[in-house]
Amino acid sequence: MLSVLLQEGIANLDTLIHSTNKDIVDIKSANHDAIFNRIKDKESAIAEFEKNRALVAECISELVKQNPDKELSSILSDDENEHFDTLRQRLSTLKDINHRFARMVISVKGFYASLLEKMMPTKMEGYSKVVDNNLFLEANIRA
């Protein structure tokens, strides 16, 4: 049972890695609709992974209770230990890819924010940003 749960977790991570790699390609070509269309699939894979993770934790907890004086790696089969290693590797890969994608998202957000600020200058009124109509008209006249 544990081996099957670990394999499902690895499959979920592979799905997330594949989807995030597609997101990176699409953000480079400004294909934002494709990124947004994958959100539900990614959320589903994350939910499934979290469910599997909880089940794996239960299985491990039970194994440790049955064998309190043994180390976890000696309790698990060779296949299960290999699956755990693969799972750790995939988690690390997903973390790196997500970090790369997040940096791109922040860059794109900064670009759009600066573009919007140039098109519609704002000023602070209290704690709120509002369009500065004087500068907005000036920017339109110069263009």
Side-chain angles (χ1 to χ4, degrees):
M1 165 120 173
L2 181 59
S3 184
V4 171
L5 290 171
L6 292 171
Q7 289 173 345
E8 289 174 2
I10 292 167
N12 288 331
L13 290 175
D14 286 341
T15 298
L16 290 168
I17 289 167
H18 183 70
S19 292
T20 306
N21 278 328
K22 282 183 177 179
D23 289 347
I24 289 170
V25 169
D26 286 335
I27 200 168
K28 287 179 179 180
S29 60
N31 189 4
H32 306 298
D33 289 337
I35 295 170
F36 294 133
N37 289 337
R38 277 191 291 277
I39 289 174
K40 286 190 181 203
D41 293 337
K42 288 174 82 173
E43 287 174 344
S44 174
I46 291 168
E48 187 68 27
F49 178 79
E50 289 176 348
K51 185 180 87 175
N52 281 350
R53 184 181 54 135
L55 293 172
V56 167
E58 286 178 27
C59 287
I60 290 174
S61 177
E62 193 60 37
L63 286 172
V64 170
K65 283 180 188 176
Q66 292 171 0
N67 304 288
D69 51 339
K70 292 185 179 180
E71 286 190 30
L72 181 61
S73 60
S74 66
I75 298 170
L76 301 176
S77 71
D78 290 341
D79 283 344
E80 291 166 340
N81 279 314
E82 285 180 31
H83 292 321
F84 267 115
D85 290 341
T86 303
L87 193 67
R88 282 187 206 99
Q89 177 193 15
R90 295 297 201 297
L91 281 168
S92 178
T93 301
L94 181 61
K95 177 186 170 214
D96 294 343
I97 291 170
N98 276 337
H99 181 72
R100 184 172 166 216
F101 181 61
R103 286 194 334 239
M104 291 178 177
V105 168
I106 290 169
S107 296
V108 169
K109 183 230 180 255
F111 169 74
Y112 281 117
S114 68
L115 185 62
L116 182 62
E117 182 66 30
K118 287 179 183 176
M119 292 171 50
M120 298 180 65
T122 59
K123 65 179 179 180
M124 293 299 291
E125 280 188 9
Y127 292 107
S128 301
K129 257 187 174 181
V130 296
V131 175
D132 187 346
N133 289 327
N134 295 331
L135 292 176
F136 178 67
L137 291 175
E138 189 177 306
N140 283 336
I141 291 171
R142 280 190 264 154

PDB file of all heavy atoms in Angstrom, residues 109-140:
ATOM      1  N   LYS A 109       4.829  40.994 -13.680  1.00  0.00           N
ATOM      2  CA  LYS A 109       3.992  41.887 -12.866  1.00  0.00           C
ATOM      3  C   LYS A 109       4.613  43.271 -12.777  1.00  0.00           C
ATOM      4  O   LYS A 109       3.944  44.287 -12.937  1.00  0.00           O
ATOM      5  CB  LYS A 109       3.796  41.312 -11.469  1.00  0.00           C
ATOM      6  CG  LYS A 109       2.867  42.161 -10.619  1.00  0.00           C
ATOM      7  CD  LYS A 109       3.525  42.443  -9.282  1.00  0.00           C
ATOM      8  CE  LYS A 109       2.657  43.265  -8.402  1.00  0.00           C
ATOM      9  NZ  LYS A 109       3.106  44.644  -8.302  1.00  0.00           N
ATOM     10  N   GLY A 110       5.929  43.328 -12.565  1.00  0.00           N
ATOM     11  CA  GLY A 110       6.624  44.618 -12.499  1.00  0.00           C
ATOM     12  C   GLY A 110       6.533  45.374 -13.812  1.00  0.00           C
ATOM     13  O   GLY A 110       6.323  46.597 -13.837  1.00  0.00           O
ATOM     14  N   PHE A 111       6.669  44.652 -14.923  1.00  0.00           N
ATOM     15  CA  PHE A 111       6.561  45.283 -16.237  1.00  0.00           C
ATOM     16  C   PHE A 111       5.178  45.889 -16.440  1.00  0.00           C
ATOM     17  O   PHE A 111       5.044  47.044 -16.847  1.00  0.00           O
ATOM     18  CB  PHE A 111       6.859  44.256 -17.333  1.00  0.00           C
ATOM     19  CG  PHE A 111       6.515  44.753 -18.715  1.00  0.00           C
ATOM     20  CD1 PHE A 111       7.310  45.696 -19.345  1.00  0.00           C
ATOM     21  CD2 PHE A 111       5.393  44.278 -19.367  1.00  0.00           C
ATOM     22  CE1 PHE A 111       6.984  46.165 -20.610  1.00  0.00           C
ATOM     23  CE2 PHE A 111       5.067  44.738 -20.632  1.00  0.00           C
ATOM     24  CZ  PHE A 111       5.864  45.680 -21.264  1.00  0.00           C
ATOM     25  N   TYR A 112       4.131  45.100 -16.159  1.00  0.00           N
ATOM     26  CA  TYR A 112       2.771  45.598 -16.345  1.00  0.00           C
ATOM     27  C   TYR A 112       2.448  46.743 -15.386  1.00  0.00           C
ATOM     28  O   TYR A 112       1.766  47.700 -15.763  1.00  0.00           O
ATOM     29  CB  TYR A 112       1.736  44.479 -16.205  1.00  0.00           C
ATOM     30  CG  TYR A 112       1.618  43.632 -17.444  1.00  0.00           C
ATOM     31  CD1 TYR A 112       1.935  42.280 -17.413  1.00  0.00           C
ATOM     32  CD2 TYR A 112       1.209  44.169 -18.650  1.00  0.00           C
ATOM     33  CE1 TYR A 112       1.837  41.492 -18.557  1.00  0.00           C
ATOM     34  CE2 TYR A 112       1.109  43.397 -19.798  1.00  0.00           C
ATOM     35  CZ  TYR A 112       1.429  42.057 -19.738  1.00  0.00           C
ATOM     36  OH  TYR A 112       1.333  41.299 -20.869  1.00  0.00           O
ATOM     37  N   ALA A 113       2.951  46.665 -14.167  1.00  0.00           N
ATOM     38  CA  ALA A 113       2.708  47.742 -13.206  1.00  0.00           C
ATOM     39  C   ALA A 113       3.365  49.038 -13.671  1.00  0.00           C
ATOM     40  O   ALA A 113       2.760  50.116 -13.592  1.00  0.00           O
ATOM     41  CB  ALA A 113       3.210  47.336 -11.822  1.00  0.00           C
ATOM     42  N   SER A 114       4.601  48.939 -14.165  1.00  0.00           N
ATOM     43  CA  SER A 114       5.273  50.157 -14.638  1.00  0.00           C
ATOM     44  C   SER A 114       4.613  50.698 -15.896  1.00  0.00           C
ATOM     45  O   SER A 114       4.495  51.918 -16.071  1.00  0.00           O
ATOM     46  CB  SER A 114       6.761  49.894 -14.883  1.00  0.00           C
ATOM     47  OG  SER A 114       6.940  49.026 -15.966  1.00  0.00           O
ATOM     48  N   LEU A 115       4.172  49.809 -16.772  1.00  0.00           N
ATOM     49  CA  LEU A 115       3.472  50.237 -17.981  1.00  0.00           C
ATOM     50  C   LEU A 115       2.173  50.950 -17.623  1.00  0.00           C
ATOM     51  O   LEU A 115       1.859  52.018 -18.165  1.00  0.00           O
ATOM     52  CB  LEU A 115       3.189  49.030 -18.872  1.00  0.00           C
ATOM     53  CG  LEU A 115       2.566  49.286 -20.229  1.00  0.00           C
ATOM     54  CD1 LEU A 115       3.486  50.145 -21.092  1.00  0.00           C
ATOM     55  CD2 LEU A 115       2.284  47.962 -20.925  1.00  0.00           C
ATOM     56  N   LEU A 116       1.427  50.391 -16.700  1.00  0.00           N
ATOM     57  CA  LEU A 116       0.176  51.002 -16.259  1.00  0.00           C
ATOM     58  C   LEU A 116       0.439  52.358 -15.603  1.00  0.00           C
ATOM     59  O   LEU A 116      -0.291  53.318 -15.831  1.00  0.00           O
ATOM     60  CB  LEU A 116      -0.559  50.076 -15.291  1.00  0.00           C
ATOM     61  CG  LEU A 116      -1.909  50.554 -14.791  1.00  0.00           C
ATOM     62  CD1 LEU A 116      -2.885  50.724 -15.956  1.00  0.00           C
ATOM     63  CD2 LEU A 116      -2.472  49.571 -13.778  1.00  0.00           C
ATOM     64  N   GLU A 117       1.504  52.439 -14.819  1.00  0.00           N
ATOM     65  CA  GLU A 117       1.846  53.704 -14.149  1.00  0.00           C
ATOM     66  C   GLU A 117       2.194  54.777 -15.179  1.00  0.00           C
ATOM     67  O   GLU A 117       1.858  55.945 -15.008  1.00  0.00           O
ATOM     68  CB  GLU A 117       3.000  53.490 -13.174  1.00  0.00           C
ATOM     69  CG  GLU A 117       3.395  54.717 -12.395  1.00  0.00           C
ATOM     70  CD  GLU A 117       2.330  55.208 -11.418  1.00  0.00           C
ATOM     71  OE1 GLU A 117       1.544  54.386 -10.908  1.00  0.00           O
ATOM     72  OE2 GLU A 117       2.286  56.430 -11.166  1.00  0.00           O
ATOM     73  N   LYS A 118       2.841  54.397 -16.263  1.00  0.00           N
ATOM     74  CA  LYS A 118       3.174  55.360 -17.313  1.00  0.00           C
ATOM     75  C   LYS A 118       1.928  55.797 -18.072  1.00  0.00           C
ATOM     76  O   LYS A 118       1.814  56.945 -18.482  1.00  0.00           O
ATOM     77  CB  LYS A 118       4.198  54.767 -18.283  1.00  0.00           C
ATOM     78  CG  LYS A 118       5.577  54.683 -17.690  1.00  0.00           C
ATOM     79  CD  LYS A 118       6.559  54.081 -18.660  1.00  0.00           C
ATOM     80  CE  LYS A 118       7.913  53.959 -17.992  1.00  0.00           C
ATOM     81  NZ  LYS A 118       8.904  53.304 -18.835  1.00  0.00           N
ATOM     82  N   MET A 119       1.003  54.852 -18.262  1.00  0.00           N
ATOM     83  CA  MET A 119      -0.217  55.179 -19.000  1.00  0.00           C
ATOM     84  C   MET A 119      -1.205  55.955 -18.137  1.00  0.00           C
ATOM     85  O   MET A 119      -1.885  56.854 -18.632  1.00  0.00           O
ATOM     86  CB  MET A 119      -0.878  53.898 -19.509  1.00  0.00           C
ATOM     87  CG  MET A 119      -0.068  53.210 -20.591  1.00  0.00           C
ATOM     88  SD  MET A 119      -0.665  51.582 -21.048  1.00  0.00           S
ATOM     89  CE  MET A 119      -2.375  51.836 -21.348  1.00  0.00           C
ATOM     90  N   MET A 120      -1.307  55.589 -16.874  1.00  0.00           N
ATOM     91  CA  MET A 120      -2.259  56.229 -15.965  1.00  0.00           C
ATOM     92  C   MET A 120      -1.547  56.526 -14.649  1.00  0.00           C
ATOM     93  O   MET A 120      -1.630  55.751 -13.699  1.00  0.00           O
ATOM     94  CB  MET A 120      -3.455  55.307 -15.715  1.00  0.00           C
ATOM     95  CG  MET A 120      -4.237  54.992 -16.969  1.00  0.00           C
ATOM     96  SD  MET A 120      -5.625  53.913 -16.668  1.00  0.00           S
ATOM     97  CE  MET A 120      -6.649  54.917 -15.646  1.00  0.00           C
ATOM     98  N   PRO A 121      -0.809  57.653 -14.585  1.00  0.00           N
ATOM     99  CA  PRO A 121      -0.066  57.987 -13.374  1.00  0.00           C
ATOM    100  C   PRO A 121      -1.001  58.082 -12.155  1.00  0.00           C
ATOM    101  O   PRO A 121      -2.152  58.501 -12.272  1.00  0.00           O
ATOM    102  CB  PRO A 121       0.551  59.345 -13.686  1.00  0.00           C
ATOM    103  CG  PRO A 121       0.520  59.461 -15.168  1.00  0.00           C
ATOM    104  CD  PRO A 121      -0.657  58.656 -15.623  1.00  0.00           C
ATOM    105  N   THR A 122      -0.487  57.673 -11.024  1.00  0.00           N
ATOM    106  CA  THR A 122      -1.283  57.700  -9.795  1.00  0.00           C
ATOM    107  C   THR A 122      -0.606  58.568  -8.751  1.00  0.00           C
ATOM    108  O   THR A 122       0.574  58.912  -8.859  1.00  0.00           O
ATOM    109  CB  THR A 122      -1.456  56.274  -9.228  1.00  0.00           C
ATOM    110  OG1 THR A 122      -0.174  55.727  -8.961  1.00  0.00           O
ATOM    111  CG2 THR A 122      -2.203  55.389 -10.195  1.00  0.00           C
ATOM    112  N   LYS A 123      -1.368  58.905  -7.733  1.00  0.00           N
ATOM    113  CA  LYS A 123      -0.837  59.607  -6.565  1.00  0.00           C
ATOM    114  C   LYS A 123      -1.512  59.020  -5.341  1.00  0.00           C
ATOM    115  O   LYS A 123      -2.556  58.358  -5.436  1.00  0.00           O
ATOM    116  CB  LYS A 123      -1.097  61.118  -6.672  1.00  0.00           C
ATOM    117  CG  LYS A 123      -2.565  61.501  -6.648  1.00  0.00           C
ATOM    118  CD  LYS A 123      -2.736  62.994  -6.735  1.00  0.00           C
ATOM    119  CE  LYS A 123      -4.241  63.333  -6.731  1.00  0.00           C
ATOM    120  NZ  LYS A 123      -4.470  64.750  -6.815  1.00  0.00           N
ATOM    121  N   MET A 124      -0.915  59.227  -4.206  1.00  0.00           N
ATOM    122  CA  MET A 124      -1.469  58.715  -2.957  1.00  0.00           C
ATOM    123  C   MET A 124      -2.421  59.749  -2.367  1.00  0.00           C
ATOM    124  O   MET A 124      -2.096  60.920  -2.274  1.00  0.00           O
ATOM    125  CB  MET A 124      -0.355  58.413  -1.948  1.00  0.00           C
ATOM    126  CG  MET A 124       0.548  57.264  -2.337  1.00  0.00           C
ATOM    127  SD  MET A 124      -0.301  55.696  -2.511  1.00  0.00           S
ATOM    128  CE  MET A 124      -0.750  55.343  -0.831  1.00  0.00           C
ATOM    129  N   GLU A 125      -3.589  59.280  -2.015  1.00  0.00           N
ATOM    130  CA  GLU A 125      -4.553  60.079  -1.252  1.00  0.00           C
ATOM    131  C   GLU A 125      -4.855  59.286   0.000  1.00  0.00           C
ATOM    132  O   GLU A 125      -5.631  58.336  -0.035  1.00  0.00           O
ATOM    133  CB  GLU A 125      -5.829  60.336  -2.067  1.00  0.00           C
ATOM    134  CG  GLU A 125      -5.680  61.448  -3.063  1.00  0.00           C
ATOM    135  CD  GLU A 125      -7.008  61.820  -3.722  1.00  0.00           C
ATOM    136  OE1 GLU A 125      -8.073  61.335  -3.285  1.00  0.00           O
ATOM    137  OE2 GLU A 125      -6.968  62.588  -4.684  1.00  0.00           O
ATOM    138  N   GLY A 126      -4.190  59.675   1.074  1.00  0.00           N
ATOM    139  CA  GLY A 126      -4.318  58.888   2.296  1.00  0.00           C
ATOM    140  C   GLY A 126      -3.606  57.567   2.102  1.00  0.00           C
ATOM    141  O   GLY A 126      -2.424  57.521   1.785  1.00  0.00           O
ATOM    142  N   TYR A 127      -4.322  56.493   2.273  1.00  0.00           N
ATOM    143  CA  TYR A 127      -3.750  55.156   2.106  1.00  0.00           C
ATOM    144  C   TYR A 127      -4.106  54.527   0.765  1.00  0.00           C
ATOM    145  O   TYR A 127      -3.797  53.374   0.517  1.00  0.00           O
ATOM    146  CB  TYR A 127      -4.237  54.224   3.231  1.00  0.00           C
ATOM    147  CG  TYR A 127      -3.699  54.603   4.581  1.00  0.00           C
ATOM    148  CD1 TYR A 127      -4.512  55.185   5.537  1.00  0.00           C
ATOM    149  CD2 TYR A 127      -2.371  54.378   4.901  1.00  0.00           C
ATOM    150  CE1 TYR A 127      -4.017  55.535   6.778  1.00  0.00           C
ATOM    151  CE2 TYR A 127      -1.864  54.725   6.138  1.00  0.00           C
ATOM    152  CZ  TYR A 127      -2.686  55.302   7.079  1.00  0.00           C
ATOM    153  OH  TYR A 127      -2.199  55.639   8.293  1.00  0.00           O
ATOM    154  N   SER A 128      -4.728  55.285  -0.116  1.00  0.00           N
ATOM    155  CA  SER A 128      -5.186  54.740  -1.394  1.00  0.00           C
ATOM    156  C   SER A 128      -4.444  55.393  -2.554  1.00  0.00           C
ATOM    157  O   SER A 128      -4.119  56.573  -2.513  1.00  0.00           O
ATOM    158  CB  SER A 128      -6.683  54.984  -1.567  1.00  0.00           C
ATOM    159  OG  SER A 128      -7.407  54.399  -0.526  1.00  0.00           O
ATOM    160  N   LYS A 129      -4.213  54.599  -3.573  1.00  0.00           N
ATOM    161  CA  LYS A 129      -3.664  55.119  -4.820  1.00  0.00           C
ATOM    162  C   LYS A 129      -4.822  55.491  -5.725  1.00  0.00           C
ATOM    163  O   LYS A 129      -5.736  54.700  -5.922  1.00  0.00           O
ATOM    164  CB  LYS A 129      -2.833  54.045  -5.518  1.00  0.00           C
ATOM    165  CG  LYS A 129      -1.378  54.192  -5.385  1.00  0.00           C
ATOM    166  CD  LYS A 129      -0.671  53.175  -6.266  1.00  0.00           C
ATOM    167  CE  LYS A 129       0.798  53.432  -6.238  1.00  0.00           C
ATOM    168  NZ  LYS A 129       1.513  52.493  -7.097  1.00  0.00           N
ATOM    169  N   VAL A 130      -4.784  56.693  -6.265  1.00  0.00           N
ATOM    170  CA  VAL A 130      -5.820  57.134  -7.195  1.00  0.00           C
ATOM    171  C   VAL A 130      -5.146  57.711  -8.432  1.00  0.00           C
ATOM    172  O   VAL A 130      -3.993  58.134  -8.400  1.00  0.00           O
ATOM    173  CB  VAL A 130      -6.759  58.193  -6.552  1.00  0.00           C
ATOM    174  CG1 VAL A 130      -7.533  57.598  -5.397  1.00  0.00           C
ATOM    175  CG2 VAL A 130      -5.984  59.407  -6.104  1.00  0.00           C
ATOM    176  N   VAL A 131      -5.863  57.697  -9.535  1.00  0.00           N
ATOM    177  CA  VAL A 131      -5.337  58.252 -10.776  1.00  0.00           C
ATOM    178  C   VAL A 131      -5.181  59.757 -10.615  1.00  0.00           C
ATOM    179  O   VAL A 131      -6.094  60.450 -10.163  1.00  0.00           O
ATOM    180  CB  VAL A 131      -6.276  57.929 -11.961  1.00  0.00           C
ATOM    181  CG1 VAL A 131      -5.803  58.619 -13.237  1.00  0.00           C
ATOM    182  CG2 VAL A 131      -6.373  56.431 -12.170  1.00  0.00           C
ATOM    183  N   ASP A 132      -4.014  60.225 -10.956  1.00  0.00           N
ATOM    184  CA  ASP A 132      -3.741  61.666 -10.918  1.00  0.00           C
ATOM    185  C   ASP A 132      -4.201  62.249 -12.249  1.00  0.00           C
ATOM    186  O   ASP A 132      -3.521  62.139 -13.267  1.00  0.00           O
ATOM    187  CB  ASP A 132      -2.251  61.902 -10.696  1.00  0.00           C
ATOM    188  CG  ASP A 132      -1.919  63.367 -10.481  1.00  0.00           C
ATOM    189  OD1 ASP A 132      -2.777  64.234 -10.765  1.00  0.00           O
ATOM    190  OD2 ASP A 132      -0.802  63.650 -10.015  1.00  0.00           O
ATOM    191  N   ASN A 133      -5.401  62.848 -12.237  1.00  0.00           N
ATOM    192  CA  ASN A 133      -6.006  63.335 -13.483  1.00  0.00           C
ATOM    193  C   ASN A 133      -5.145  64.372 -14.184  1.00  0.00           C
ATOM    194  O   ASN A 133      -5.109  64.414 -15.412  1.00  0.00           O
ATOM    195  CB  ASN A 133      -7.395  63.909 -13.199  1.00  0.00           C
ATOM    196  CG  ASN A 133      -8.385  62.823 -12.859  1.00  0.00           C
ATOM    197  OD1 ASN A 133      -8.292  61.716 -13.385  1.00  0.00           O
ATOM    198  ND2 ASN A 133      -9.307  63.116 -11.971  1.00  0.00           N
ATOM    199  N   ASN A 134      -4.428  65.213 -13.438  1.00  0.00           N
ATOM    200  CA  ASN A 134      -3.573  66.220 -14.069  1.00  0.00           C
ATOM    201  C   ASN A 134      -2.468  65.565 -14.882  1.00  0.00           C
ATOM    202  O   ASN A 134      -2.214  65.934 -16.022  1.00  0.00           O
ATOM    203  CB  ASN A 134      -2.966  67.153 -13.019  1.00  0.00           C
ATOM    204  CG  ASN A 134      -4.024  67.976 -12.324  1.00  0.00           C
ATOM    205  OD1 ASN A 134      -5.069  68.276 -12.903  1.00  0.00           O
ATOM    206  ND2 ASN A 134      -3.776  68.323 -11.069  1.00  0.00           N
ATOM    207  N   LEU A 135      -1.798  64.576 -14.290  1.00  0.00           N
ATOM    208  CA  LEU A 135      -0.720  63.898 -15.004  1.00  0.00           C
ATOM    209  C   LEU A 135      -1.271  62.984 -16.098  1.00  0.00           C
ATOM    210  O   LEU A 135      -0.639  62.788 -17.128  1.00  0.00           O
ATOM    211  CB  LEU A 135       0.139  63.082 -14.028  1.00  0.00           C
ATOM    212  CG  LEU A 135       0.971  63.910 -13.046  1.00  0.00           C
ATOM    213  CD1 LEU A 135       1.699  62.985 -12.080  1.00  0.00           C
ATOM    214  CD2 LEU A 135       1.958  64.791 -13.780  1.00  0.00           C
ATOM    215  N   PHE A 136      -2.460  62.418 -15.894  1.00  0.00           N
ATOM    216  CA  PHE A 136      -3.072  61.556 -16.904  1.00  0.00           C
ATOM    217  C   PHE A 136      -3.336  62.356 -18.168  1.00  0.00           C
ATOM    218  O   PHE A 136      -3.017  61.929 -19.270  1.00  0.00           O
ATOM    219  CB  PHE A 136      -4.362  60.934 -16.359  1.00  0.00           C
ATOM    220  CG  PHE A 136      -5.073  60.067 -17.357  1.00  0.00           C
ATOM    221  CD1 PHE A 136      -4.503  58.877 -17.790  1.00  0.00           C
ATOM    222  CD2 PHE A 136      -6.312  60.436 -17.868  1.00  0.00           C
ATOM    223  CE1 PHE A 136      -5.159  58.068 -18.709  1.00  0.00           C
ATOM    224  CE2 PHE A 136      -6.959  59.637 -18.784  1.00  0.00           C
ATOM    225  CZ  PHE A 136      -6.387  58.454 -19.204  1.00  0.00           C
ATOM    226  N   LEU A 137      -3.903  63.554 -18.012  1.00  0.00           N
ATOM    227  CA  LEU A 137      -4.172  64.403 -19.176  1.00  0.00           C
ATOM    228  C   LEU A 137      -2.868  64.843 -19.829  1.00  0.00           C
ATOM    229  O   LEU A 137      -2.756  64.861 -21.049  1.00  0.00           O
ATOM    230  CB  LEU A 137      -4.986  65.629 -18.753  1.00  0.00           C
ATOM    231  CG  LEU A 137      -6.422  65.332 -18.318  1.00  0.00           C
ATOM    232  CD1 LEU A 137      -7.090  66.601 -17.798  1.00  0.00           C
ATOM    233  CD2 LEU A 137      -7.233  64.763 -19.469  1.00  0.00           C
ATOM    234  N   GLU A 138      -1.862  65.156 -19.021  1.00  0.00           N
ATOM    235  CA  GLU A 138      -0.574  65.564 -19.549  1.00  0.00           C
ATOM    236  C   GLU A 138       0.070  64.428 -20.338  1.00  0.00           C
ATOM    237  O   GLU A 138       0.633  64.624 -21.394  1.00  0.00           O
ATOM    238  CB  GLU A 138       0.332  65.971 -18.374  1.00  0.00           C
ATOM    239  CG  GLU A 138       1.622  66.610 -18.774  1.00  0.00           C
ATOM    240  CD  GLU A 138       2.404  67.030 -17.553  1.00  0.00           C
ATOM    241  OE1 GLU A 138       1.860  67.768 -16.710  1.00  0.00           O
ATOM    242  OE2 GLU A 138       3.575  66.595 -17.437  1.00  0.00           O
ATOM    243  N   ALA A 139      -0.025  63.204 -19.820  1.00  0.00           N
ATOM    244  CA  ALA A 139       0.550  62.051 -20.502  1.00  0.00           C
ATOM    245  C   ALA A 139      -0.169  61.796 -21.826  1.00  0.00           C
ATOM    246  O   ALA A 139       0.471  61.451 -22.828  1.00  0.00           O
ATOM    247  CB  ALA A 139       0.455  60.812 -19.612  1.00  0.00           C
ATOM    248  N   ASN A 140      -1.475  62.002 -21.876  1.00  0.00           N
ATOM    249  CA  ASN A 140      -2.229  61.786 -23.110  1.00  0.00           C
ATOM    250  C   ASN A 140      -1.914  62.848 -24.139  1.00  0.00           C
ATOM    251  O   ASN A 140      -1.901  62.576 -25.329  1.00  0.00           O
ATOM    252  CB  ASN A 140      -3.730  61.764 -22.820  1.00  0.00           C
ATOM    253  CG  ASN A 140      -4.162  60.446 -22.196  1.00  0.00           C
ATOM    254  OD1 ASN A 140      -3.511  59.435 -22.380  1.00  0.00           O
ATOM    255  ND2 ASN A 140      -5.270  60.483 -21.475  1.00  0.00           N
TER     256      ASN A 140
END
